[in-house]
Amino acid sequence: MSAQTTDGAGTGSEDGRPAATAATAATAASRKREQQGWYFYDFAVSVYSASVLTLFLGPYLTSVAKAAADAEGFVHPLGIPVRAGSYFAYTVSASVILAVLLMPLVGALADRTGRKKPLLAVAAYVGAAATTGMFFLEGDRYLLGGLLLVVANAALSVSMVLYNAYLPQISTPDERDTVSSRGWAFGYTAGSVMLVVNLALYLGHDSFGLSEGMAVRICLASAGLWWGAFALIPLRRLRDRAVVPEPGAAPALSGWKQLVATLKDMRRYPLTLSFLLAYLIYNDGVQTVISQASVYGAEELELEQSTLIAAVLLVQVLAVGGALAMGRLALRYGAKRTILGSLAAWALTLGVGYFLPARTPVWFFALAAMIGLVLGGSQALSRSLFSHLVPAGKEAEYFSAYEMSDRGLSWIGPLVFGLTYQVTGSYRDAIISLVVFFALGFVLLARVPVRRAVEAAGNPVPERI
């Protein structure tokens, strides 16, 4: 009997399968359940990115700032003269500077305590509450709008650190590209659903007895309610893992000190840092296009709000298929090559955008289609590729650095966009200035030997990467 116990012969489960097979199946089922819950945080939060940050808040907050502006067109937050047309871009920059202070601290705390889920809950519901509070943004309350944007954006960034850190724990190396791409597809599906509702409400606001401003405010607040409601699903399905505390590890450091400590640790993995540098640069361009496209459409191309809503809806619909298609391309050609192809497409898209004629919606829709096809896939594959470069046990801490590249340091692009407009007075010059982010990011990513980087992090190398 002892021999049987040692080698496993004759050991079975109640349904007749060998115990090892039953355990493997149970593990796979548990992993799939967590993956399905994990997808729903993208589903919950992507409505904020689509309806609030990409579509409604930029033009609306700009109009509120213009209503509060002086005769020269400037507002004066904290006594600083800011052109009303640049206020939204500067506020986005301020929000991510706050996120830089918070993300490393929260990431390290999550890794050391193993309690990602409670921290995710706090970040999610702070962000959802701030977004819901945008219902009260009206008149000349540009300071209120800026404050709510700063809080919501910072909370979003912190929550994404914790959300992304689950990816290496809930998927095997060969599953990562597919799981990450499905998460983005879920998110863009949610964005599409809510944009249809928003479009109906906005276009039909008169029939509902609403003013245009009230319709926009309802759309903003609905994103916060959606975020809070669907965040319940991942919070029920995801589970925390026990961790073994590092000897002598401090329970918490200040945000900047923790960032320095994380970067010092990452110096042991220079190839991971090389990928992060490339990602920081090209993703800064992606995030800036996302946040400023509606301002460009409204102010430079003189398009109606209904056109902008329809264009963003087109982006959301095509991004679902684009994310899944690029996930399949990664299985065949590898994530790195697929991302490089998407960066070339991004640069081409901005070049086309520079020459778009004003008051011609059909060309703006063509631009939106180009963005949609590459948007989700480039982000999803970047996330899954980075997950291979993270040493085990440091997921949240390293993803805090990743998220700073994703959101926390994405103040550079909006700042370049805002300064270019402030100097030239042209949104066309502002949009074409972003090409440099994609070109430089392409060059830096092409130089990263990703297989060696995965091996250096101590992780198994997928067949294609």
Side-chain angles (χ1 to χ4, degrees):
M1 182 173 293
S2 60
Q4 290 179 339
T5 303
T6 300
D7 65 16
T11 303
S13 62
E14 291 182 0
D15 60 5
R17 293 180 295 173
T21 303
T24 300
T27 300
S30 175
R31 190 170 67 247
K32 184 176 181 180
R33 174 180 170 80
E34 283 196 271
Q35 289 172 3
Q36 291 171 341
W38 186 81
Y39 298 149
F40 270 95
Y41 193 72
D42 247 325
F43 192 83
V45 80
S46 290
V47 171
Y48 170 86
S49 298
S51 291
V52 177
L53 195 59
T54 303
L55 182 59
F56 285 111
L57 190 57
Y60 186 67
L61 184 55
T62 299
S63 69
V64 171
K66 287 181 176 180
D70 59 22
E72 287 75 34
F74 286 82
V75 291
H76 300 268
L78 303 178
I80 302 170
V82 173
R83 189 186 292 269
S86 296
Y87 179 70
F88 174 68
Y90 289 153
T91 305
V92 172
S93 294
S95 72
V96 292
I97 290 172
L98 174 61
V100 167
L101 297 174
L102 296 176
M103 288 189 294
L105 178 62
V106 174
L109 185 62
D111 282 336
R112 290 174 184 174
T113 64
R115 296 183 61 78
K116 293 185 183 71
K117 191 158 71 171
L119 294 170
L120 176 60
V122 171
Y125 285 103
V126 168
T131 306
T132 305
M134 291 177 185
F135 178 80
F136 300 102
L137 176 59
E138 60 181 333
D140 60 356
R141 296 179 179 175
Y142 76 97
L143 287 175
L144 173 64
L147 176 62
L148 293 174
L149 173 58
V150 167
V151 172
N153 247 18
L156 173 65
S157 297
V158 169
S159 72
M160 292 304 291
V161 167
L162 302 162
Y163 166 70
N164 287 334
Y166 274 103
L167 181 58
Q169 297 179 336
I170 65 172
S171 58
T172 65
D174 289 327
E175 291 176 334
R176 302 245 179 101
D177 289 344
T178 300
V179 171
S180 185
S181 296
R182 285 177 180 172
W184 281 105
F186 262 62
Y188 285 117
T189 299
S192 300
V193 170
M194 279 303 292
L195 281 174
V196 170
V197 176
N198 291 160
L199 182 60
L201 178 63
Y202 181 80
L203 294 179
H205 63 82
D206 286 333
S207 62
F208 292 113
L210 302 173
S211 66
E212 181 177 330
M214 175 63 79
V216 171
R217 288 159 52 205
I218 291 174
C219 291
L220 293 172
S222 68
L225 296 174
W226 181 286
W227 185 354
F230 284 99
L232 291 171
I233 298 175
L235 291 174
R236 285 180 61 87
R237 292 201 173 189
L238 293 173
R239 61 184 180 85
D240 288 328
R241 273 77 173 169
V243 297
V244 179
E246 295 182 11
L253 299 173
S254 71
W256 285 106
K257 288 182 179 179
Q258 184 57 60
L259 173 60
V260 171
T262 300
L263 292 178
K264 282 183 177 179
D265 184 72
M266 292 181 72
R267 286 190 303 180
R268 299 189 300 165
Y269 308 97
L271 297 180
T272 299
L273 276 175
S274 296
F275 172 81
L276 268 182
L277 176 61
Y279 180 71
L280 181 155
I281 292 171
Y282 72 72
N283 190 65
D284 203 349
V286 172
Q287 295 300 322
T288 307
V289 173
I290 291 172
S291 65
Q292 303 303 321
S294 60
V295 176
Y296 181 69
E299 299 294 327
E300 184 66 36
L301 303 183
E302 303 175 30
L303 299 174
E304 298 292 335
Q305 186 74 15
S306 58
T307 299
L308 298 179
I309 295 174
V312 175
L313 176 59
L314 179 62
V315 170
Q316 299 294 309
V317 171
L318 291 179
V320 175
L324 296 175
M326 288 182 67
R328 295 191 192 98
L329 287 175
L331 291 175
R332 182 171 182 178
Y333 299 106
K336 178 182 173 180
R337 289 182 180 179
T338 307
I339 295 169
L340 289 173
S342 76
L343 297 183
W346 273 109
L348 176 63
T349 299
L350 289 179
V352 171
Y354 177 81
F355 293 103
L356 286 186
R359 298 181 296 278
T360 52
V362 63
W363 290 110
F364 192 71
F365 289 144
L367 182 70
M370 294 174 68
I371 292 175
L373 290 174
V374 296
L375 175 60
S378 59
Q379 293 175 312
L381 294 178
S382 296
R383 176 171 64 185
S384 61
L385 180 55
F386 181 71
S387 72
H388 294 287
L389 310 182
V390 178
K394 294 182 177 291
E395 291 86 2
E397 188 173 345
Y398 273 56
F399 265 108
S400 70
Y402 175 87
E403 194 64 23
M404 282 189 294
S405 300
D406 191 0
R407 301 176 194 274
L409 292 183
S410 59
W411 55 271
I412 302 173
L415 184 61
V416 169
F417 185 94
L419 286 174
T420 303
Y421 174 76
Q422 180 137 343
V423 171
T424 67
S426 169
Y427 281 107
R428 293 185 186 273
D429 292 338
I431 203 72
I432 201 65
S433 70
L434 302 178
V435 169
V436 67
F437 291 92
F438 297 102
L440 184 56
F442 182 100
V443 172
L444 293 175
L445 177 60
R447 295 170 58 89
V448 178
V450 292
R451 286 188 172 275
R452 283 172 45 202
V454 175
E455 292 172 349
N459 294 322
V461 182
E463 182 179 350
R464 291 194 181 277
I465 193 168

